[in-house]
Amino acid sequence: MIHDIEVLKAKTSKISEIDFNNLKFGHVFSDHMLECDFKNGEWEAPKVVPYQPITLDPSAKIFHYGQSVFEGMKAYKDADGKVWLFRPLDNFKRLNISSKRLAIPELPENYFMDGLKALLKVDEDWIPEKEGSSLYIRPFVFASGNGFHASPADEYKFIICTAPSGAYFSGEVKVLIEEKYSRSANGGVGFAKAGGNYAGQFYPTQLAVEKGYQQVIWTDDTSHEYIEEAGAMNIFVRIDDTLVTAPTSDRILDGITRKSIIELAKSENIPVEVRKLSVKEVVEAAQNGSLKEMFGAGTAAVISPISGFGYKDNDYELPKLTDDSYASFLKKRITDIQTNKVEDPFGWRMEVK
Amino acid sequence: MIHDIEVLKAKTSKISEIDFNNLKFGHVFSDHMLECDFKNGEWEAPKVVPYQPITLDPSAKIFHYGQSVFEGMKAYKDADGKVWLFRPLDNFKRLNISSKRLAIPELPENYFMDGLKALLKVDEDWIPEKEGSSLYIRPFVFASGNGFHASPADEYKFIICTAPSGAYFSGEVKVLIEEKYSRSANGGVGFAKAGGNYAGQFYPTQLAVEKGYQQVIWTDDTSHEYIEEAGAMNIFVRIDDTLVTAPTSDRILDGITRKSIIELAKSENIPVEVRKLSVKEVVEAAQNGSLKEMFGAGTAAVISPISGFGYKDNDYELPKLTDDSYASFLKKRITDIQTNKVEDPFGWRMEVK
């Protein structure tokens, strides 16, 4: 049940201007957004309001001290027009885990969940029906309080925006295993979906792009010997028939797609190992032919297959994907569950009514 | 010479509302600010405009991906009413170094320097004359372009705001040497004045405050055996008569106060060692009495003496500061140079005319 969320409706809708057959990712935004302010030591009641600009003082701490966290989620419409979310409570919990590490006040669960549902109800027509499309949901929290003192802000804004998005097709992805730059520190904020983690990735990624790759595979900052993440996704490697991924840590994001893949693979009797994965092992597996697949896992693309990787001036190609590849199989299983095409034995799906 | 900076003057001034005898740090802002937009692949001409709110789309990348860098500087008014900056070109250069690492477009030098001078001219009356007070200057650049795609923005804003500020008195500072959390990674963005570096420090600092300390001494993220920074400042330790500070690296900020202290100390024949400084060495020096001083160095406080430190559940006190302490001596020398009270043999001072 959704209760007590005030709704201020937009006077006009932009929806007729949108070509739902040609949606990119995160470029057009729905008519409304959820807005919730933290002031005087507490979160005020969230409201659905027309999608609108945010006005801040130039001294607002978001501009200076990087207090910002976010989540990425999707809403799907099934053939009967029912609306579904995928493990939304896990996003809520992780948002608070991220917030805590950045000294941002945590949100009450009902503000997040009821607010999100109220927003989806108001903008239900914005949820695409087309196969592969979905409504991308972006909850975020940032420091809106003022002052140049380097300390946590006294005011914050929690906002949810949504963007109807087409199937995320990344094309052929070649990755570069990073030997110099790092994404996160031991004891740092790498496990949080903190804005600053992303800004730090852009420059090394640009350098990789200049060398002909599309993404960076992040390695540990101490030795660069262990594989941690792929771009802004978690990474999986298939060696022979075993799926391997790095354990989560304070450097690695506890991805919801990542843990869904692990559970799903196990339930399908696919051997899964969650353990440290060295670059050496991956290179050797590529050389001896036991490396069958590599893919990134995240909300936007679900699974993003990797076609090859570069390391120390050598390039390694992966076998072409086949119909029985884990990437194809697992992606179909997850998206079928997400979009209510099959049973959901895990209880991951949540209907929005 | 200041040329070609358009000035849009505020209709009224807030200056009569300000009590210049009771200024805190960074809480009141001058009448104007410098504003400069990056659009269509280039920086547009900077303008001085009335201090005013910033309006952004909710999808602006600053809210999501942490692309923000800043600088901290001060302007001083001497007894003759002349206005001085301290090593401003070093701030300009470091801003661009930070920007590059965060995939933010670099600024032309004249936009920064001429823009800053034009702003100081317009708000000259805001520069405090009182001993110890100064006009704190905050240049910053952030991603104002829109979209949820995790990639560098296509638009940015460079802004300079100023805040008349009183002497920064931090009181007695006890610090905790950090054994779990970290500020930066090898190959990360710790050397940049990036917003995200500060957000990550707040929570560990809150934990230290709960234990009775005011700040954290950051150690390397691999072993936590080496001392790197003090809160948001560089750190110096005096062992017997030698001043020791950690070398800059990709984890440590190349502080302008830090390097000024090194140059100044050398010119005064104070032995200075720039080398790795282990926690073990500092603890042993505290135990055997050779640890004479510890202090943080940064723009806001110039030098902030540390009265004691905690490590592994033990507390170590430092000797009381005397008139011939390095902290007092070096702080006076630097502020005398900054405020045009003494000769400046280093060429650090720049008059704004």
Side-chain angles (χ1 to χ4, degrees):
Chain A
M1 200 185 102
I2 307 163
H3 46 81
D4 294 342
I5 304 289
E6 189 182 341
V7 176
L8 294 167
K9 280 203 127 186
K11 283 181 184 141
T12 55
S13 174
K14 298 167 293 186
I15 200 163
S16 62
E17 300 162 22
I18 310 303
D19 178 0
F20 277 80
N21 287 311
N22 288 295
L23 292 168
K24 289 195 286 182
F25 176 78
H27 274 263
V28 294
F29 308 104
S30 314
D31 285 330
H32 298 85
M33 65 189 205
L34 187 80
E35 192 173 38
C36 182
D37 282 309
F38 182 91
K39 283 183 181 170
N40 304 311
E42 62 177 16
W43 285 106
E44 298 179 348
K47 277 183 213 172
V48 174
V49 297
Y51 187 88
Q52 60 191 274
I54 297 165
T55 298
L56 296 167
D57 193 79
S59 76
K61 294 203 178 188
I62 180 63
F63 297 128
H64 307 273
Y65 301 125
Q67 274 186 294
S68 70
V69 295
F70 72 91
E71 280 296 323
M73 311 168 69
K74 284 177 174 173
Y76 309 88
K77 205 174 261 179
D78 70 16
D80 299 328
K82 288 181 184 165
V83 175
W84 300 94
L85 292 167
F86 185 70
R87 310 186 79 170
L89 280 169
D90 290 352
N91 291 97
F92 162 70
K93 286 175 192 158
R94 190 173 61 185
L95 186 68
N96 273 351
I97 288 169
S98 299
S99 287
K100 187 175 177 189
R101 181 61 182 85
L102 271 78
I104 294 172
E106 293 164 66
L107 276 163
E109 182 180 314
N110 62 328
Y111 281 20
F112 182 96
M113 289 304 300
D114 293 346
L116 173 57
K117 289 176 191 170
L119 177 65
L120 292 176
K121 273 287 158 200
V122 172
D123 278 339
E124 192 171 339
D125 292 346
W126 286 85
I127 306 171
E129 291 169 28
K130 197 185 169 198
E131 178 82 24
S133 295
S134 60
L135 188 72
Y136 182 78
I137 301 166
R138 171 55 60 90
F140 59 107
V141 188
F142 67 89
S144 54
N146 302 336
F148 290 156
H149 199 276
S151 55
D154 57 357
E155 297 188 358
Y156 296 84
K157 274 187 188 291
F158 162 51
I159 289 175
I160 305 181
C161 296
T162 64
S165 295
Y168 192 101
F169 179 65
S170 44
E172 185 137 302
V173 177
K174 268 179 65 189
V175 296
L176 180 65
I177 297 182
E178 185 60 55
E179 296 169 67
K180 180 179 174 189
Y181 294 102
S182 305
R183 182 184 164 278
S184 60
N186 299 297
V189 304
F191 68 96
K193 272 189 98 74
N197 288 338
Y198 294 78
Q201 298 187 40
F202 294 159
Y203 177 66
T205 303
Q206 284 177 341
L207 297 180
V209 167
E210 284 168 17
K211 291 180 188 166
Y213 304 92
Q214 283 77 48
Q215 282 293 347
V216 164
I217 298 286
W218 299 104
T219 50
D220 68 289
D221 84 303
T222 304
S223 68
H224 294 294
E225 286 174 12
Y226 292 93
I227 284 177
E228 304 215 313
E229 290 199 18
M233 294 183 282
N234 294 112
I235 185 165
F236 285 83
V237 162
R238 175 182 176 178
I239 298 176
D240 290 322
D241 284 337
T242 302
L243 207 50
V244 186
T245 191
T248 56
S249 71
D250 56 7
R251 296 187 310 276
I252 299 181
L253 189 78
D254 184 11
I256 293 164
T257 308
R258 174 189 174 279
K259 66 184 182 186
S260 303
I261 287 172
I262 293 170
E263 280 188 71
L264 196 52
K266 284 181 177 169
S267 79
E268 299 284 350
N269 296 315
I270 293 172
V272 182
E273 293 178 5
V274 178
R275 62 168 170 84
K276 286 179 81 171
L277 177 64
S278 73
V279 180
K280 189 164 170 277
E281 180 183 357
V282 172
V283 169
E284 284 174 2
Q287 286 167 336
N288 69 27
S290 60
L291 182 68
K292 306 295 186 195
E293 299 181 49
M294 286 176 86
F295 54 84
T299 293
V302 187
I303 285 176
S304 179
I306 292 166
S307 64
F309 67 90
Y311 182 62
K312 288 199 193 293
D313 297 326
N314 286 312
D315 274 326
Y316 302 86
E317 267 192 41
L318 275 106
K320 294 276 170 223
L321 280 192
T322 57
D323 286 345
D324 65 345
S325 68
Y326 287 171
S328 317
F329 172 74
L330 293 168
K331 180 168 181 173
K332 184 168 189 321
R333 284 284 289 135
I334 290 187
T335 52
D336 282 353
I337 291 173
Q338 288 172 329
T339 54
N340 193 32
K341 284 187 183 159
V342 296
E343 284 298 296
D344 172 14
F346 306 100
W348 288 339
R349 209 158 53 204
M350 179 188 282
E351 188 177 353
V352 182
K353 13 184 190 192
Chain B
M1 201 185 101
I2 307 163
H3 45 84
D4 293 342
I5 305 289
E6 188 183 342
V7 175
L8 294 168
K9 280 203 126 185
K11 285 182 183 139
T12 56
S13 174
K14 298 167 294 187
I15 199 163
S16 62
E17 301 161 22
I18 310 301
D19 178 0
F20 277 78
N21 287 312
N22 289 294
L23 292 168
K24 289 194 288 182
F25 176 78
H27 274 264
V28 294
F29 308 103
S30 314
D31 285 330
H32 298 86
M33 65 188 206
L34 187 80
E35 192 172 40
C36 183
D37 282 309
F38 182 90
K39 284 182 181 171
N40 304 312
E42 62 178 15
W43 285 106
E44 298 178 348
K47 276 184 213 171
V48 174
V49 298
Y51 187 88
Q52 61 191 274
I54 297 165
T55 298
L56 296 167
D57 193 79
S59 76
K61 293 203 179 188
I62 179 63
F63 297 128
H64 306 274
Y65 301 124
Q67 274 187 294
S68 71
V69 297
F70 71 93
E71 279 297 323
M73 312 169 69
K74 285 176 174 174
Y76 310 88
K77 204 173 261 179
D78 70 16
D80 298 328
K82 288 181 185 167
V83 175
W84 300 92
L85 292 167
F86 185 70
R87 311 187 78 170
L89 280 169
D90 290 353
N91 291 99
F92 162 71
K93 286 176 192 158
R94 190 173 60 185
L95 186 67
N96 273 350
I97 289 169
S98 299
S99 288
K100 187 175 177 189
R101 181 61 182 85
L102 270 79
I104 294 172
E106 293 165 65
L107 277 163
E109 182 180 315
N110 63 330
Y111 281 21
F112 183 96
M113 289 304 300
D114 293 346
L116 173 58
K117 289 176 191 169
L119 177 65
L120 292 176
K121 273 287 158 201
V122 172
D123 278 338
E124 192 171 342
D125 291 346
W126 285 84
I127 307 172
E129 291 170 28
K130 198 184 168 198
E131 178 81 24
S133 296
S134 59
L135 188 71
Y136 182 77
I137 299 166
R138 172 55 60 90
F140 59 107
V141 188
F142 66 90
S144 54
N146 302 335
F148 290 156
H149 199 275
S151 56
D154 57 357
E155 296 187 359
Y156 296 84
K157 273 186 189 291
F158 162 52
I159 289 175
I160 305 181
C161 296
T162 65
S165 295
Y168 192 100
F169 180 64
S170 44
E172 184 137 302
V173 177
K174 268 179 65 189
V175 296
L176 180 65
I177 298 182
E178 185 60 56
E179 297 169 66
K180 179 179 174 189
Y181 295 102
S182 304
R183 184 185 163 276
S184 60
N186 300 295
V189 304
F191 68 95
K193 272 189 99 71
N197 288 338
Y198 293 79
Q201 299 186 41
F202 294 160
Y203 176 68
T205 303
Q206 284 177 339
L207 297 180
V209 168
E210 284 167 17
K211 291 179 187 164
Y213 304 91
Q214 283 77 49
Q215 281 294 347
V216 164
I217 299 285
W218 298 104
T219 50
D220 69 288
D221 84 302
T222 303
S223 68
H224 293 295
E225 285 174 13
Y226 293 93
I227 283 176
E228 305 214 314
E229 290 199 20
M233 294 184 284
N234 293 113
I235 184 165
F236 285 83
V237 162
R238 175 182 177 177
I239 298 176
D240 291 321
D241 283 338
T242 303
L243 207 49
V244 186
T245 192
T248 54
S249 70
D250 56 7
R251 295 187 311 276
I252 299 181
L253 189 78
D254 184 11
I256 292 164
T257 308
R258 174 189 174 279
K259 66 184 182 186
S260 303
I261 287 172
I262 293 170
E263 279 188 71
L264 196 52
K266 283 181 177 170
S267 79
E268 298 285 349
N269 295 317
I270 293 173
V272 182
E273 293 178 5
V274 178
R275 61 168 171 83
K276 284 178 84 172
L277 177 64
S278 72
V279 179
K280 188 164 171 277
E281 181 183 356
V282 172
V283 169
E284 284 173 2
Q287 286 168 335
N288 69 26
S290 61
L291 183 68
K292 307 294 187 196
E293 298 181 51
M294 287 175 86
F295 54 84
T299 294
V302 186
I303 283 176
S304 179
I306 291 166
S307 63
F309 68 90
Y311 183 61
K312 289 199 193 291
D313 296 327
N314 286 313
D315 273 326
Y316 302 87
E317 268 192 40
L318 275 105
K320 294 274 170 225
L321 281 192
T322 58
D323 286 346
D324 65 345
S325 69
Y326 287 171
S328 317
F329 172 75
L330 293 167
K331 180 168 181 173
K332 184 170 189 321
R333 284 285 288 135
I334 290 188
T335 52
D336 282 353
I337 291 172
Q338 288 172 330
T339 55
N340 193 32
K341 283 188 182 158
V342 296
E343 283 298 297
D344 172 14
F346 307 99
W348 289 339
R349 213 159 47 205
M350 179 187 285
E351 188 177 353
V352 181
K353 356 183 200 199

